[in-house]
Amino acid sequence: MLCLSTGQEATESLRRRLGDAVELVEVSSPVRALARLNQGGYDGVYADAEHFAEALDAGRLVQNERILEGMPDGVVVLDADSQIVWGNGRLSEWVGEREVTGRNFYKVLGGPDILGPDFCPFHTALHQGKASASTLRCQDGRHFRVHAAPVIHGGRKGEEPTHDHLIVTIRDVTQEVQQQQKLAAIHQAGIELADLSTDEVANMDLEERIELLKENILHCTQDVLQFDVVEIRMLDGATGELQPLLSFGMKPEAECRLLKADASGNGVTGFVAATGQSYLCEDISEDPLYIEGAQDARSSLTVPLMLHDQVIGTFNVESPEPRAFSESDLQFLEIFTRDVAAALNTLELLAAEKATTAAASVEAIHSAVALPVDDILNDAVNVLEQYIGHEPAVAERLARILTNARDIKQVIQKVGQSMAPVEARPSSVCIEPRPHLVGKHVLVADEDGAVREAAHTLLERYRCIVETAHDGREAIYMARNFCGDGGYDAIIADIRLPDMSGYQFLLKLHEMQETAPLILMTGFGYDPGHSIVKARQAGLRAVLYKPFRLDQLLDTIEKAVAEGPRPLTPPAG
């Protein structure tokens, strides 16, 4: 019989009354009573009046032992030396040992690392009389969170209450910690995706930068998320097509398959791109949306690539195992793809920066040389007009100067296109394509230097080849010199040139060629000598009224180019 008594005298008195047939085992607290009772072999518990409440506590502990044994968490009672006095059996299961009672708690766990926040949780709980907690990391990688609370019980008569035992709850938090570690690894991987240093990318072209980013994405996907089959597609906003960016482990026909952002007929990928919702396909044999991607795939997980709440692409992973992906995998992939989208945006910004810088550089070079080259052309044709037929060697040299000057302008334009390819340009740099203007030769005649400079700046963006003249005479010389090369595709002249009117200019052009693709510019209501009326009667192409918009200018030139040569019919006399 267990005996909770006030002292040796009371115990001896009880022993005399019960006789030698009963063996008394004295204990000083309900916790020690629980430890003894757990060992079995006792017929009852005795407590005098002073310890009756403690005896009830021991009885309640014994009564609730089965409940404690059914808990998913471990529960142990430790003494002041961290020896296990009692346990509910869960710790024994975790360490694979049948009996842990009587052993040091830390040794049972193999000497784990204490990660905090309290690095001496049991000492704190015993000596400060309050609960303490910490996380333990075992050598096999498992993590346990322990919570220690002191067992406070009354001492003998006249003594202060003591707490020389702890009730410790133990929870296996390995999966939780691994989740946190994985999130941290994903976050770090996301940072590294966009961490493209200047030294790394300074000498790379766009394709090399894309390849570097693809390598980083694949590395993180396989090493951090541990997904082996990966497919990334980017959404083309204009066509709705999902263009392959990265594919690893997919069947060749799946890589090349045309998919669109459409909820039907385009598989899971098309559905995700159209709806912006992630999709977990647990078993492809039971999912009508799935279209075969990886060889022998049985399950897939697809999430949208989102940037500023807009779908810019899709990220798909597949597995040969059914139900291979969990809700946690879905969460991890959604977090990772935010960083992927940001990294892709960073790459686009780098490309845009390069394109903008290149475009600005080319434009600056061109603006610096365009008008001076035109001056060379103007001077050369003036000299050529004066000396033609008299000095063949001079004429030949002047002709070469003209050719070389024109070549310089075209080379600058071609270099500009190669430095800032259209597909790499941001929306602010990209221009509406005007294929009918590409390579067309345009002559602009105007006394105002700002107009001539603007003609270069605006029309050459659409890959026109622009030359300018200061007055009508220069423009006639330029046109006559260029006739041998097929002539200008369009000539734009102010209605009031310094040396002649627009109509007079038209007549002089007619003396050289039967067709003249002339477009006149004028302010509203200003038509000295009725030049426009006369020019229209003679077959004038079009009139632009200042100030005109860029699209009006482009439309007018396109129309003139599309119509082709038109014979002039100036009035007799």
Side-chain angles (χ1 to χ4, degrees), residues 457-519:
T457 301
L458 298 177
L459 295 178
E460 285 172 354
R461 288 180 185 172
Y462 296 86
R463 298 173 65 182
C464 290
I465 300 170
V466 180
E467 295 177 3
T468 63
H470 298 76
D471 54 35
R473 182 177 61 85
E474 272 188 359
I476 293 298
Y477 288 169
M478 295 283 286
R480 178 156 41 222
N481 175 265
F482 203 58
C483 278
D485 294 320
Y488 292 104
D489 296 291
I491 299 174
I492 305 172
D494 188 68
I495 196 172
R496 187 183 182 186
L497 294 168
D499 53 352
M500 62 185 73
S501 69
Y503 178 61
Q504 292 170 331
F505 180 63
L506 178 67
L507 294 179
K508 290 187 177 295
L509 282 175
H510 179 257
E511 293 175 3
M512 294 187 305
Q513 56 191 75
E514 293 184 2
T515 61
L518 180 63
I519 300 166

Side-chain angles (χ1 to χ4, degrees), residues 349-473:
L349 292 176
L350 287 172
E353 180 184 4
K354 180 179 178 180
T356 304
T357 303
S361 300
V362 171
E363 204 164 288
I365 294 170
H366 214 293
S367 63
V369 303
L371 292 181
V373 170
D374 283 350
D375 289 340
I376 294 173
L377 291 172
N378 297 154
D379 291 342
V381 294
N382 270 284
V383 174
L384 195 59
E385 286 286 328
Q386 295 179 30
Y387 285 95
I388 190 166
H390 302 285
E391 294 286 344
V394 173
E396 185 179 344
R397 279 183 179 275
L398 289 172
R400 283 205 301 272
I401 290 173
L402 288 169
T403 300
N404 292 337
R406 287 180 170 126
D407 287 345
I408 289 172
K409 297 174 73 172
Q410 293 189 48
V411 166
I412 293 174
Q413 192 175 65
K414 288 178 181 177
V415 169
Q417 292 299 318
S418 64
M419 288 177 66
V422 173
E423 60 270 17
R425 295 178 179 179
S427 57
S428 59
V429 177
C430 287
I431 58 174
E432 177 191 356
R434 297 264 184 168
H436 297 300
L437 297 183
V438 176
K440 301 303 179 183
H441 292 81
V442 179
L443 176 64
V444 178
D446 199 296
E447 182 182 18
D448 189 344
V451 172
R452 298 196 304 275
E453 185 175 352
H456 278 292
T457 301
L458 298 177
L459 295 178
E460 285 172 354
R461 288 180 185 172
Y462 296 86
R463 298 173 65 182
C464 290
I465 300 170
V466 180
E467 295 177 3
T468 63
H470 298 76
D471 54 35
R473 182 177 61 85

Side-chain angles (χ1 to χ4, degrees), residues 280-284 286 298-300 319 321-326:
L280 177 57
C281 181
E282 295 185 332
D283 191 336
I284 65 170
E286 301 173 357
R298 295 292 303 280
S299 58
S300 71
S319 172
E321 300 295 329
R323 295 174 176 80
F325 306 107
S326 65

Side-chain angles (χ1 to χ4, degrees), residues 18-272:
L18 294 176
D20 296 335
V22 177
E23 179 186 353
L24 288 179
V25 178
E26 185 180 6
V27 290
S28 59
S29 70
V31 173
R32 292 193 179 277
L34 175 62
R36 291 283 186 174
L37 289 170
N38 189 51
Q39 296 173 7
Y42 294 93
D43 298 301
V45 178
Y46 169 83
D48 56 24
E50 187 175 346
H51 286 79
F52 182 71
E54 293 181 346
L56 287 179
D57 289 340
R60 292 192 189 100
L61 285 173
V62 173
Q63 190 176 23
N64 293 329
E65 185 176 351
R66 288 186 178 179
I67 297 175
L68 292 173
E69 287 175 353
M71 289 179 61
D73 293 346
V75 181
V76 296
V77 177
L78 303 184
D79 64 15
D81 296 321
S82 298
Q83 301 290 325
I84 300 173
V85 174
W86 175 87
N88 69 340
R90 192 69 61 235
L91 182 60
S92 295
E93 293 178 15
W94 287 336
V95 298
E97 297 184 22
R98 293 185 61 183
E99 185 58 60
V100 296
T101 303
R103 297 176 58 189
N104 181 275
F105 178 82
Y106 289 120
K107 288 184 178 179
V108 168
L109 288 176
D113 297 324
I114 303 176
L115 305 181
D118 191 331
F119 292 95
C120 299
F122 300 161
H123 181 273
T124 299
L126 280 173
H127 290 81
Q128 296 185 10
K130 62 180 182 180
S132 181
S134 191
T135 300
L136 310 179
R137 181 178 59 206
C138 297
Q139 302 303 317
D140 59 4
R142 288 184 300 173
H143 289 73
F144 294 98
R145 186 164 294 131
V146 295
H147 181 277
V151 179
I152 301 175
H153 52 82
R156 299 189 184 277
K157 211 170 194 179
E159 295 178 356
E160 290 293 326
T162 60
H163 34 76
D164 55 2
H165 286 80
L166 299 173
I167 293 182
V168 179
T169 57
I170 314 145
R171 174 169 295 177
D172 187 343
V173 293
T174 303
Q175 187 174 3
E176 180 183 334
V177 171
Q178 288 175 345
Q179 299 270 64
Q180 293 172 348
Q181 290 173 341
K182 196 168 184 179
L183 283 174
I186 289 172
H187 177 65
Q188 183 60 37
I191 293 174
E192 292 174 359
L193 282 180
D195 188 19
L196 302 174
S197 68
T198 304
D199 292 339
E200 282 184 304
V201 301
N203 298 318
M204 291 184 178
D205 59 24
L206 180 63
E207 291 301 320
E208 289 172 330
R209 293 179 182 183
I210 291 175
E211 287 304 314
L212 175 61
L213 180 57
K214 285 163 64 173
E215 287 177 12
N216 288 346
I217 292 173
L218 186 59
H219 166 75
C220 294
T221 304
Q222 293 178 331
D223 289 4
V224 179
L225 295 173
Q226 298 180 341
F227 299 146
D228 293 325
V229 179
V230 185
E231 181 188 48
I232 300 177
R233 288 178 177 254
M234 301 304 297
L235 177 61
D236 186 326
T239 65
E241 293 183 0
L242 292 161
Q243 303 289 349
L245 174 69
L246 184 153
S247 181
F248 187 85
M250 301 290 286
K251 296 174 68 173
E253 55 268 33
E255 291 182 33
C256 303
R257 181 183 294 130
L258 175 64
L259 294 176
K260 290 193 172 184
D262 195 321
S264 61
N266 288 270
V268 174
T269 298
F271 175 85
V272 169

